[in-house]
Amino acid sequence: MNSKKRILSGMRPTGPLHLGNLHGALANWVGMQDEYDCFFFIADWHALTSDYEDPGAITGYVDEMMIDWLSAGLDPNKSTLFVQSLVPEHAELFLFLSMITPVPWLERNPTYKDQIVQINNKDLSTFGFLGYPVLQAADIIMYKANGVPVGIDQVPHVEITREIARRFNFLYGDVFPEPDAILTQTSKILGLDRRKMSKSYNN
């Protein structure tokens, strides 16, 4: 039986990877492969939350992202690498969790508030975008992950995941562990415009 703690993390295929992805996440993931039971996934359904009007490029970015991951040192013999949409149970658990998640929990999310302001060239006034943290909670807890390696900006999402898991367990019994946020060594890298480096910001 595997005695290692399990971690899970993912990336949205919304554009080519950049230095922030490499130094903020990928290098950290590569270093965690021997210490943890690692699950890393390409979050193509998450990409639809902001790119639903023009989803054609997502498939190409999925392929590029996997090549970049392997090139950076993620090893399929050490980690489980997968594409989110190929595991339909993510959507099923998302549906169930959406039934028990209070809307104010989502509306108070600082990442949601910030991206509504920062990404002003897309219509983000959708349930899919508001419900992003619920899908993320489903991604994490369905694998019973103990931790999630994240940048500082994603900590509120992990806290919402903990709250959702806690509420599910209160209603239905002790099923899901509450995962901890594991801050990456480089928890935030700024782009050329001094905002967080992001494919969505093109900076």
Side-chain angles (χ1 to χ4, degrees):
M1 185 164 176
N2 194 342
S3 61
K4 295 179 180 178
K5 287 191 173 182
R6 177 170 292 176
I7 61 169
L8 178 136
S9 197
M11 288 185 192
R12 298 190 325 142
T14 54
L17 296 189
H18 49 67
L19 288 174
N21 297 128
L22 176 62
H23 294 292
L26 263 179
N28 190 51
W29 292 1
V30 170
M32 299 175 98
Q33 291 182 108
D34 292 320
E35 184 180 353
Y36 294 94
D37 180 20
C38 296
F39 284 67
F40 301 121
F41 72 101
I42 296 177
D44 53 342
W45 278 340
H46 280 294
L48 288 173
T49 61
S50 59
D51 291 6
Y52 62 88
E53 290 183 282
D54 185 21
I58 292 175
T59 301
Y61 289 136
V62 166
D63 295 339
E64 288 182 22
M65 183 172 283
M66 187 59 72
I67 292 169
D68 288 342
W69 285 8
L70 297 173
S71 299
L74 286 184
D75 185 346
N77 294 312
K78 294 181 178 181
S79 300
T80 300
L81 311 177
F82 64 98
V83 177
Q84 180 186 37
S85 63
L86 298 180
V87 185
E89 289 82 0
H90 284 256
E92 292 177 13
L93 185 55
F94 166 61
L95 174 66
F96 294 131
L97 296 181
S98 71
M99 302 300 177
I100 67 167
T101 303
V103 171
W105 289 8
L106 304 175
E107 292 176 330
R108 75 175 188 227
N109 179 10
T111 306
Y112 170 75
K113 294 176 182 177
D114 182 61
Q115 290 197 334
I116 287 290
V117 173
Q118 298 289 345
I119 306 175
N120 54 21
N121 61 332
K122 297 178 181 178
D123 179 11
L124 300 181
S125 57
T126 64
F127 167 73
F129 192 76
L130 177 66
Y132 180 106
V134 183
L135 178 56
Q136 192 168 55
D139 298 330
I140 297 165
I141 68 175
M142 70 182 282
Y143 296 97
K144 298 192 173 182
N146 305 108
V148 186
V150 291
I152 193 75
D153 61 307
Q154 289 289 311
V155 170
H157 285 295
V158 178
E159 186 53 40
I160 292 175
T161 295
R162 291 172 56 84
E163 290 179 327
I164 292 172
R166 194 177 306 131
R167 182 169 170 83
F168 188 99
N169 291 341
F170 174 78
L171 292 170
Y172 307 118
D174 193 14
V175 177
F176 298 116
E178 295 179 27
D180 294 315
I182 303 171
L183 284 179
T184 58
Q185 292 179 354
T186 308
S187 60
K188 187 173 184 180
I189 295 179
L190 300 181
L192 296 174
D193 58 3
R194 307 305 295 164
R195 294 184 294 173
K196 171 198 157 188
M197 191 178 291
S198 171
K199 298 186 295 296
S200 299
Y201 299 166
N202 195 29
N203 62 347

